[in-house]
């Protein structure tokens, strides 16, 4: 896997679904479409190969992207060709931006160096959620510009302290950066939402909201990352508690137990879980996010996060 840098965006690409990009481009590709004296907008899509709404938004905005000063990164095209988040046995392309020995980490480091040197005005990474979630922003800083950026997209923002190595966390070290989770890939409104937001950013060089933090913005942080114990069976119905509070006593799975881990790897299991007939149940009301109904995604990454409001 090697990074290719291209200076123009061939219109023919707009006809291709995410699954066809690897054939056309070979692998991860950075389009450098900067204009002189205009700090670029950096946009990345397909860090997760099956999260196609970002690419579909880009396809709808080829003229606008080409006219603006833009850096566009297309990430895991091999995974996209197979319609999966990441290929089996390979690194997750959104966990490699801070360190690592993988080919993906090498590409991420190269992209980071390139983009940092370009001094972008903002960085936007577009994702789909695996589970049913309302749209939300993920940020890793709390300065007014970042909060205003988040508030321009959604009334919900997540201050993420984990997992390590996600792109926004790295890029926030040198520019205003945010991940947007636009909804599931299956839902057509996810692409509409991504397209509308990206179009607004491309049309206006000014910071969103004039860098004012909207009062409507609810800010949460991830207090714990929740993973499945061996043999535990998840419960897709729990997706209804994403960004909502599940009452004490709720069993989050159909069987087995769960692990809850803090960003510093502390075991938070005893704080959150009791047991009822061998089933892990919440000890106290808890807000969930990103609960996935898909076994494979839950095993590969995590089942969900527990949120706490940031006050
Ligand atoms: Zn993703």
């Amino acid at each position: 896997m090697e990074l290719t840098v291209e200076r123009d965006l061939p219109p023919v690409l707009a006809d291709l679904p995410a699954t066809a990009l690897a054939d056309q481009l070979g692998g991860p590709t950075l389009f450098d479409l900067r204009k002189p004296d205009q700090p670029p907008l950096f946009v990345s899509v397909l860090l997760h190969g099956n999260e196609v709404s970002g690419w579909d938004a880009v396809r709808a905005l080829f003229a606008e992207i080409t006219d603006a000063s833009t850096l566009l990164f297309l990430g895991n095209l091999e995974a996209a060709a197979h319609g999966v988040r990441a290929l089996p046995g390979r690194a997750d392309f959104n966990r490699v931006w801070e360190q690592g020995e993988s080919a993906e980490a090498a590409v991420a480091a190269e992209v980071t160096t390139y983009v940092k040197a370009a001094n972008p005005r903002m960085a936007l990474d577009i994702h789909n959620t695996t589970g049913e979630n309302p749209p939300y922003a993920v940020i890793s800083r709390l300065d007014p510009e970042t909060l205003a950026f988040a508030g321009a997209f959604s009334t919900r923002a997540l201050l993420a302290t984990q997992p390590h190595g996600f792109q926004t966390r790295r890029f926030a070290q040198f520019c205003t950066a945010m991940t947007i989770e636009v909804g599931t890939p299956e839902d057509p409104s996810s692409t509409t939402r991504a397209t509308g937001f990206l179009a607004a950013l491309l049309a206006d060089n000014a910071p969103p909201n004039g860098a004012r933090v909207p009062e409507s913005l609810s800010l949460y942080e991830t207090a714990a990352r929740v993973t499945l114990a061996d043999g535990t069976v998840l419960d897709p119905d729990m997706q209804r508690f994403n960004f909502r509070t599940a009452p004490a006593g709720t069993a989050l799975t159909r069987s087995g137990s769960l692990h809850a881990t803090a960003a510093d790897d502390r075991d938070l299991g005893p704080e959150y879980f009791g047991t009822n007939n061998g089933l892990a149940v919440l000890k106290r009301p808890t807000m969930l996010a990103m609960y996935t109904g898909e076994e494979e995604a839950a095993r590969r990454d995590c089942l969900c996060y527990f949120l706490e409001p940031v006050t």
Side-chain angles (χ1 to χ4, degrees), residues 7 9 30-43 61-73 114-115 117-124 198-206:
R7 302 279 164 184
L9 187 62
L30 179 65
F31 293 93
D32 183 347
L33 310 170
R34 277 179 288 169
K35 301 290 182 291
D37 304 322
Q38 292 180 41
L41 173 69
F42 172 82
V43 180
L61 295 167
F62 258 45
E64 290 83 349
I65 287 170
T66 308
D67 289 348
S69 184
T70 320
L71 288 163
L72 170 66
F73 178 58
Y114 197 104
V115 175
N119 201 15
R121 61 185 173 102
M122 285 178 293
L124 178 71
L198 183 54
L201 291 181
L202 289 166
D204 192 354
N205 280 325

Side-chain angles (χ1 to χ4, degrees), residues 224-236:
R225 183 168 182 264
V226 182
T227 52
L228 296 170
D230 286 345
T232 296
V233 179
L234 56 75
D235 180 355

Side-chain angles (χ1 to χ4, degrees), residues 7 23 25 36 51 85 101 118 139 165 171-172 175 200 209 263 278 309:
R7 302 279 164 184
D23 267 355
L25 297 170
E51 299 177 11
R85 178 184 175 95
E101 302 299 317
I139 56 177
F171 278 32
C175 70
N209 293 324

Side-chain angles (χ1 to χ4, degrees), residues 48 51 85 127-128 181:
H48 292 142
E51 299 177 11
R85 178 184 175 95
H127 286 254
N128 290 107
E181 297 279 357

